[in-house]
Amino acid sequence: MINLSSGVRRGLACVAMVAVLVAAYPDYNGEKGRAFPCPNDGDIDPCKCTYNGTTFSLDLTCDGLTDEDQLDQIFSSAFPVRAFTMLTLTNSNISKLKENVFHTISFEVIMLINNQLETVDSKALSSSYSTLQSFFLTQIGGETLSLTINDDLQQFKILTTIYIAGPYNNVPTLTSATLTTAILNVYELTELPPETFTAATALETIIMEDTKLDTIQKDTFSSLKSLKNLTLTGANINTLTASSMAFSSSLTLLDLHLNNIKTIEETAFQGISGNVNIKLNKNSLVELTEQPFLELLKNTTGSIDVSDNPLTCGCDLRWLVSLTDLDWARLVGLNSACDIDGTYDKDTLLDFLEYQCSTPVPSS
């Protein structure tokens, strides 16, 4: 018996795979407009199929399709290989992906860019239920769109990333238990239903930038035990209400910068502890009240950035007297926001606050 190294065995396996494909596809060498292992060029025009023999990636790029019927016709063609790596569909007049639109062709990554897409029918992506890892949907500019995804995201076995960006006024309910990353930069979104993320229990990263959200409802994120990064920036959030920032995970980043936050209720932050960095810079905070900030500083070891806020820097800061030097250093941006220059060292400032804010006001 001859023992072969693992490298030789892999090489023989690749040769065997190629032999099988060639047997099934004898005109791979370019005859009839074919290039191994792609379909006939004319059958899929204007789509282009490309194969990388080094990485074994097989990609399909379609640009400028006229309608859904043309898309259906393309995927009705003879495909000698049905497992593709990536589909990129751009600049097409396709507002709906119909049921089984891709027939039996599967993809690991689907990128849909600038197609005016509004509806994904049930089972539209059924051929990729076992293979799809990343789904990207982007619309650049244009009128406000409402997005309907009827396909049950629970059906996707290894989906980890979903990215949706554009002038949409809603987001789908993320029912996938395998999702780890959700990026939802939907510019016309004004309301975030609290059940949006509830079933996506494996989520580690949520990023939402440049929406029109003005509030976050109670316990929107509290069920996500794996969440590490929550970024909600460039919106119009004005108040953090009770338990709106409640978590049951070990966050490392809570980024709320560039909103319009004026008020933070005492119980807005729940379950935040450990080495988490909190970014509240570039908001509209006037006061840094003892709660919730003292509790945040006691329970965390990361930084709390309050720079670029219009702080009044009055007796609302008296609680700073109880801070350690380390806690003081973690409250980033306080000096610049209060216009405290180098002539006021920490002890002098705290002595002033303690005296000014504990002395009774004389009666007239």
Side-chain angles (χ1 to χ4, degrees):
M1 181 177 179
I2 300 175
N3 293 320
L4 300 177
S5 69
S6 60
V8 172
R9 288 198 299 271
R10 284 195 298 269
L12 290 176
C14 289
V15 170
M17 179 186 71
V18 171
V20 170
L21 290 173
V22 170
Y25 193 7
D27 48 359
Y28 73 92
N29 60 2
E31 296 177 12
K32 300 180 182 178
R34 292 178 175 179
F36 172 80
C38 292
N40 187 307
D41 289 347
D43 290 345
I44 62 172
D45 186 65
C47 297
K48 305 294 182 185
C49 173
T50 57
Y51 173 64
N52 186 317
T54 302
T55 62
F56 300 111
S57 60
L58 185 61
D59 300 334
L60 193 65
T61 302
C62 304
D63 183 74
L65 271 61
T66 55
D67 52 34
E68 290 90 345
D69 290 339
Q70 186 180 22
L71 184 66
D72 181 73
Q73 181 180 355
I74 289 168
F75 282 93
S76 298
S77 304
F79 279 75
V81 178
R82 301 186 180 279
F84 277 67
T85 307
M86 180 182 294
L87 167 68
T88 304
L89 175 62
T90 60
N91 303 314
S92 298
N93 185 27
I94 297 175
S95 61
K96 175 187 287 190
L97 294 181
K98 299 178 181 178
E99 180 177 345
N100 297 321
V101 66
F102 300 121
H103 294 251
T104 57
I105 310 304
S106 68
F107 302 97
E108 297 173 18
V109 179
I110 294 178
M111 301 189 70
L112 308 172
I113 304 171
N114 238 31
N115 302 294
Q116 300 294 325
L117 187 66
E118 291 188 81
T119 305
V120 179
D121 276 351
S122 177
K123 297 183 180 180
L125 309 177
S126 58
S127 58
S128 297
Y129 280 165
S130 298
T131 60
L132 190 65
Q133 300 174 35
S134 302
F135 178 80
F136 297 85
L137 169 60
T138 301
Q139 182 64 37
I140 302 172
E143 298 180 356
T144 301
L145 300 173
S146 293
L147 179 63
T148 301
I149 296 183
N150 294 315
D151 224 333
D152 187 354
L153 295 181
Q154 293 185 77
Q155 298 290 336
F156 295 94
K157 306 303 181 185
I158 57 174
L159 181 65
T160 60
T161 302
I162 188 166
Y163 177 99
I164 301 175
Y168 295 103
N169 60 15
N170 65 318
V171 293
T173 301
L174 303 183
T175 56
S176 170
T178 60
L179 270 179
T180 58
T181 301
I183 303 174
L184 306 172
N185 298 337
V186 284
Y187 314 137
E188 298 298 326
L189 184 70
T190 58
E191 182 178 355
L192 183 65
E195 67 273 13
T196 299
F197 306 105
T198 303
T201 53
L203 274 175
E204 298 178 3
T205 299
I206 298 174
I207 298 175
M208 301 183 71
E209 298 177 333
D210 300 323
T211 69
K212 292 184 178 179
L213 289 172
D214 58 12
T215 190
I216 300 295
Q217 297 188 47
K218 177 181 179 180
D219 291 325
T220 298
F221 310 105
S222 62
S223 65
L224 305 178
K225 298 184 183 301
S226 298
L227 190 64
K228 296 175 181 171
N229 174 355
L230 175 61
T231 297
L232 298 172
T233 64
N236 192 36
I237 301 170
N238 52 68
T239 300
L240 295 182
T241 57
S243 297
S244 59
M245 293 290 115
F247 304 95
S248 57
S249 62
S250 298
L251 280 181
T252 57
L253 175 65
L254 175 57
D255 189 350
L256 299 169
H257 88 276
L258 203 61
N259 277 283
N260 189 32
I261 299 172
K262 299 181 179 69
T263 304
I264 301 177
E265 295 185 3
E266 288 189 9
T267 58
F269 298 105
Q270 297 290 319
I272 296 180
S273 62
N275 187 20
V276 55
N277 293 314
I278 302 173
K279 297 176 68 66
L280 289 164
N281 52 308
K282 296 185 178 180
N283 274 286
S284 301
L285 291 172
V286 175
E287 293 187 340
L288 288 186
T289 54
E290 181 171 357
Q291 293 302 335
F293 287 100
L294 181 57
E295 185 174 356
L296 285 175
L297 284 167
K298 285 183 176 179
N299 293 337
T300 63
T301 57
S303 62
I304 302 176
D305 189 347
V306 296
S307 59
D308 296 310
N309 278 281
L311 299 176
T312 55
C313 305
C315 288
D316 58 296
L317 298 180
R318 185 188 174 192
W319 61 275
L320 296 176
V321 172
S322 66
L323 293 186
T324 65
D325 289 343
L326 182 60
D327 288 340
W328 177 277
R330 292 191 297 113
L331 195 57
V332 176
L334 178 66
N335 283 26
S336 60
C338 291
D339 196 23
I340 300 171
D341 61 32
T343 61
Y344 294 91
D345 61 31
K346 175 194 168 188
D347 291 336
T348 301
L349 176 63
L350 294 183
D351 286 344
F352 174 80
L353 285 173
E354 189 170 22
Y355 174 76
Q356 282 291 101
C357 301
S358 61
T359 304
V361 177
S363 58
S364 55

